[in-house]
Amino acid sequence: MTIEDVALAAGVHVATVSRALREGGMVAPATREKVQAAARRLGYRPNVAAATLRTRRSSLVGVIVTDLGNPFFGPILKGLETELRKSGWMSLVVQPPEDAAGRRDVVLALADRQVGGLIIGAAEIDDPLLDTADGLQLPVVLVNRGYGERRFPSIVTDDRESMRLALDHLLALGHRHIAHIAGPRSSSTGRARAEAFGDLCRQQGIGDAIIVETPAFTRAAGNEAALSVLDVAAPPTAVVAGNDMLALGVLDAAGHCGLSVPGDLSLVGHNDMPLVDLIDPPLTTIRVPVEQLSRQAARLLIEQMHNADEAVMMRVMMPSLVVRASTGPARR
Amino acid sequence: MTIEDVALAAGVHVATVSRALREGGMVAPATREKVQAAARRLGYRPNVAAATLRTRRSSLVGVIVTDLGNPFFGPILKGLETELRKSGWMSLVVQPPEDAAGRRDVVLALADRQVGGLIIGAAEIDDPLLDTADGLQLPVVLVNRGYGERRFPSIVTDDRESMRLALDHLLALGHRHIAHIAGPRSSSTGRARAEAFGDLCRQQGIGDAIIVETPAFTRAAGNEAALSVLDVAAPPTAVVAGNDMLALGVLDAAGHCGLSVPGDLSLVGHNDMPLVDLIDPPLTTIRVPVEQLSRQAARLLIEQMHNADEAVMMRVMMPSLVVRASTGPARR
DNA sequence: TTGTACGCGTTATCAC
DNA sequence: GTGATAACGCGTACAA
């Protein structure tokens, strides 16, 4: 069942069928109708591979996400897929390997499929992923990760504002000994939040603020890092975690050290991922507007793909503080 | 940069290049090496669209999942993608619409992309998705959903065993008034668990077991259904939920009714999705081996795609009980 | 073992 | 506004 069959059935030439079935084709309304009727009657489906071969374009978008197991990414993926498909794009989802060569290959493999662009929710700073995409001239949008030199369009939340919200909240509760369990410096969010936290502490005259970097945004890493901070004579009275997964690890560590939350230790997470409102204690955290984040990202990519020479831009979304029960007044 | 350029550079014919670069091609080792060297030197990347057009095969697999926002699906997607790509397949991820036409179209769109097969983690009973895939002769594997007539290969957990584990646990704790907040009967798991629960209760001589069906596996639906059961004079002392999301809703309802868990009400979930070990109280639940479930599904699909006339088979995985703190002895 | 030749289904560029 | 025709890049019988 090819375009030729339709042409035959409609009594026109294949070229006319092609035009009639596509948006911009210049065809007489009557002809178009005739063709569409024939196509429908025959159950004709255009051969996507042939069209891709001819046009060098496919209706595919590469979605590169680390750690699909992380509850934070589910909603992001959901928003992305929904919004992309609304515009006719399908999502090729890939988790990149750790090694540089593997990351390069992932982008190449995606490019081989003629993806129109890439949404990357996994970029590290100086990521081979980005260099490769850049070399291929592939439109890219970063979600929730900026890039060191801001070379790529991205949707991010304001990390400085996040830390300000967290810190103000803790200061208002009387805390003065505050630690930050930071995500890896190789990720823009890990780095930006750590730097903002440091700056703000200095501004507030908190000299002894501790910042510990973790190797990954995981519960295990959070636990380990938190132990090094909490398992001492005079532990801090509050901790700001780089994200919610790290916060869960901090919770583990607090339990291990016999510290009650929020009695002995106040804890602020980041992201407000699903279910953190139900854990014990319900987590005070910084909410990022996930739904809008992912929809904006999809839209931005679509714009970039549509208009190749769109200016590089960053859209910054504002986080907000959600106070639950993991924070309380300082005892000391 | 086409296959012809490589042929020129290697001093052989394009056909030879094609053979040399693919697995089964019969080429002299020396020639192959020469060709590979030339290809590498030129940075040649085969045109996937052309190959797809020619062979009518792509290295794409359709992954149809409802509700990417549900924390249960993240890990499943993760295992699926990992395993599929290990065998050279990329995942086209799609969330199906609710309406029949939309579900049909999703499968057609996937088929248009020449996907080798479909992994469906969203099938309803008598789902248009399945009929369409069936009509297209597309290899299909169902994850965590069986099909009414068992026409499709699937990976499932043993729902009867799940319910047996849950019920035995509650009976051992002395409960006799037990309700089941069931998932929709339109889903195989919802139906199977409800039926098993009913059967087992009868076997145990529990005549007054209540089963309430929900319209969806969501927290809100669980809450609503649970309210109808708990907000009465003599509520049951234990509830088995159709899955963890429903269980969270039950928890909400219990709070609303002033029932403490597990003091006044014992609660068993299903799936052991991420973070339910941290909620208050930590949820007793039925663990499904997600990692293996998804990997098995991917492997099964790969087998089906490889060997078209593989017998339809179902692989059943055994669930296990994870006792945490949401269940306790019956007071009455 | 290698080369020849054709076709896969579409779209784009021309004439008309 | 429509028809003819030439690519697009590759895989594969078949012949050599």
Side-chain angles (χ1 to χ4, degrees):
Chain A
M1 185 54 47
T2 76
I3 199 172
E4 197 160 351
D5 300 315
V6 179
L8 230 56
V12 297
H13 197 269
V14 287
T16 306
V17 175
S18 176
R19 282 188 289 254
L21 260 29
R22 226 145 357 90
E23 294 283 311
M26 299 187 319
V27 194
T31 312
R32 162 160 290 159
E33 213 139 315
K34 199 169 53 178
V35 170
Q36 288 177 334
R40 203 168 324 117
R41 185 153 37 81
L42 298 181
Y44 165 70
R45 311 280 308 181
N47 184 313
V48 174
T52 301
L53 175 59
R54 190 65 177 87
T55 62
R56 309 183 157 289
R57 283 181 282 105
S58 81
S59 51
L60 263 30
V61 161
V63 178
I64 305 181
V65 184
T66 12
D67 203 5
L68 285 171
N70 184 328
F72 179 59
F73 279 115
I76 290 202
L77 206 53
K78 178 177 184 164
L80 286 176
E81 200 277 332
T82 305
E83 196 67 24
L84 284 171
R85 200 139 56 78
K86 211 183 285 172
S87 302
W89 297 92
M90 289 201 128
S91 303
L92 220 32
V93 176
V94 180
Q95 307 174 91
E98 297 282 329
D99 62 297
R103 293 174 95 84
R104 261 177 37 86
D105 289 347
V106 157
V107 175
L108 292 178
L110 251 13
D112 285 348
R113 265 88 186 173
Q114 316 269 22
V115 293
L118 256 34
I119 293 207
I120 307 187
E124 307 279 305
I125 290 180
D126 294 328
D127 198 319
L129 232 40
L130 298 178
D131 296 329
T132 312
D134 206 31
L136 259 29
Q137 306 259 47
L138 222 42
V140 166
V141 166
L142 269 33
V143 193
N144 201 35
R145 296 281 169 108
Y147 184 68
E149 287 109 47
R150 304 299 187 204
R151 282 191 298 153
F152 294 92
S154 40
I155 311 282
V156 297
T157 50
D158 187 328
D159 287 319
R160 196 176 179 82
E161 175 69 3
S162 292
M163 290 298 106
R164 201 187 58 70
L165 289 169
L167 212 54
D168 281 1
H169 174 57
L170 292 174
L171 290 172
L173 288 168
H175 293 275
R176 288 296 174 274
H177 301 284
I178 307 176
H180 177 48
I181 305 298
R185 289 187 65 79
S186 58
S187 88
S188 64
T189 48
R191 178 183 297 195
R193 287 170 201 165
E195 286 175 358
F197 179 85
D199 285 356
L200 292 167
C201 282
R202 268 188 297 282
Q203 280 180 24
Q204 300 288 344
I206 299 182
D208 64 343
I210 303 171
I211 300 181
V212 185
E213 182 187 346
T214 60
F217 282 112
T218 64
R219 186 170 163 186
N223 178 39
E224 194 166 344
L227 281 178
S228 75
V229 172
L230 299 178
D231 205 4
V232 297
T237 65
V239 166
V240 177
N243 81 355
D244 290 336
M245 291 303 280
L246 291 176
L248 300 183
V250 175
L251 225 43
D252 294 335
H256 183 267
C257 298
L259 297 171
S260 81
V261 176
D264 303 316
L265 183 74
S266 282
L267 176 61
V268 181
H270 196 294
N271 284 358
D272 194 26
M273 70 182 188
L275 305 197
V276 294
D277 57 323
L278 282 175
I279 67 174
D280 178 26
L283 192 67
T284 293
T285 189
I286 305 296
R287 170 176 295 162
V288 320
V290 177
E291 187 80 359
Q292 293 159 56
L293 195 77
S294 52
R295 285 179 188 268
Q296 287 290 331
R299 293 218 191 96
L300 182 53
L301 182 65
I302 289 167
E303 284 170 25
Q304 300 279 336
M305 293 188 302
H306 199 259
N307 184 351
D309 287 318
E310 194 88 19
V312 171
M313 60 147 56
M314 188 166 50
R315 295 190 191 160
V316 181
M317 324 237 0
M318 282 304 145
S320 56
L321 176 71
V322 181
V323 179
R324 299 209 180 90
S326 67
T327 46
R331 283 207 186 140
R332 287 178 281 141
Chain B
M1 183 58 44
T2 78
I3 200 173
E4 196 160 351
D5 299 317
V6 179
L8 230 58
V12 296
H13 197 269
V14 287
T16 306
V17 175
S18 176
R19 282 188 288 254
L21 261 28
R22 220 147 356 89
E23 295 282 310
M26 300 186 318
V27 195
T31 313
R32 164 159 290 158
E33 212 137 319
K34 200 167 55 180
V35 170
Q36 288 178 333
R40 202 167 326 116
R41 185 153 38 80
L42 298 181
Y44 166 69
R45 311 280 308 182
N47 183 313
V48 175
T52 301
L53 175 59
R54 188 68 179 77
T55 62
R56 309 184 156 288
R57 283 181 282 107
S58 81
S59 51
L60 264 31
V61 161
V63 177
I64 305 182
V65 185
T66 12
D67 203 6
L68 285 170
N70 184 327
F72 179 60
F73 279 115
I76 290 202
L77 206 52
K78 178 178 183 162
L80 245 29
E81 200 276 333
T82 305
E83 196 67 23
L84 285 172
R85 199 139 55 79
K86 212 185 282 175
S87 302
W89 297 92
M90 289 199 129
S91 304
L92 221 32
V93 176
V94 180
Q95 305 174 94
E98 297 282 330
D99 62 299
R103 293 174 94 84
R104 263 177 37 84
D105 289 347
V106 158
V107 174
L108 292 178
L110 251 13
D112 285 348
R113 266 86 186 174
Q114 315 270 23
V115 293
L118 256 34
I119 293 206
I120 307 187
E124 307 278 306
I125 289 180
D126 295 327
D127 197 319
L129 233 39
L130 297 178
D131 297 329
T132 312
D134 206 30
L136 261 27
Q137 306 261 46
L138 224 40
V140 167
V141 166
L142 270 33
V143 194
N144 201 35
R145 296 281 169 106
Y147 184 68
E149 288 110 48
R150 304 300 188 203
R151 283 191 297 152
F152 294 93
S154 41
I155 311 282
V156 298
T157 50
D158 187 329
D159 287 319
R160 196 173 178 84
E161 176 68 4
S162 293
M163 290 298 107
R164 201 188 58 70
L165 288 169
L167 213 53
D168 281 1
H169 173 58
L170 292 173
L171 291 172
L173 288 168
H175 294 276
R176 288 295 176 275
H177 300 283
I178 308 177
H180 177 48
I181 305 298
R185 289 187 66 77
S186 58
S187 89
S188 65
T189 49
R191 177 183 298 195
R193 286 170 201 164
E195 286 175 357
F197 179 84
D199 285 355
L200 292 166
C201 281
R202 270 188 295 282
Q203 280 182 23
Q204 299 289 342
I206 300 184
D208 63 343
I210 303 170
I211 300 182
V212 186
E213 182 187 346
T214 59
F217 282 114
T218 62
R219 186 170 165 185
N223 177 41
E224 194 166 345
L227 281 177
S228 76
V229 172
L230 299 178
D231 206 2
V232 298
T237 66
V239 166
V240 177
N243 81 356
D244 290 335
M245 292 303 280
L246 291 176
L248 300 183
V250 175
L251 224 42
D252 294 335
H256 183 267
C257 298
L259 297 171
S260 82
V261 176
D264 303 316
L265 183 75
S266 282
L267 175 62
V268 181
H270 196 295
N271 284 358
D272 194 26
M273 71 182 188
L275 306 196
V276 294
D277 58 322
L278 282 175
I279 65 174
D280 180 24
L283 191 68
T284 293
T285 188
I286 305 295
R287 170 176 296 161
V288 320
V290 178
E291 187 79 0
Q292 294 160 55
L293 194 77
S294 53
R295 285 180 186 267
Q296 287 290 331
R299 293 217 191 95
L300 182 53
L301 182 65
I302 290 167
E303 284 169 25
Q304 300 278 340
M305 294 188 300
H306 199 256
N307 184 350
D309 286 320
E310 194 88 18
V312 171
M313 59 147 57
M314 189 166 49
R315 295 190 191 162
V316 181
M317 325 240 355
M318 282 303 144
S320 54
L321 175 71
V322 181
V323 178
R324 298 209 180 91
S326 67
T327 48
R331 283 206 187 142
R332 288 178 281 142

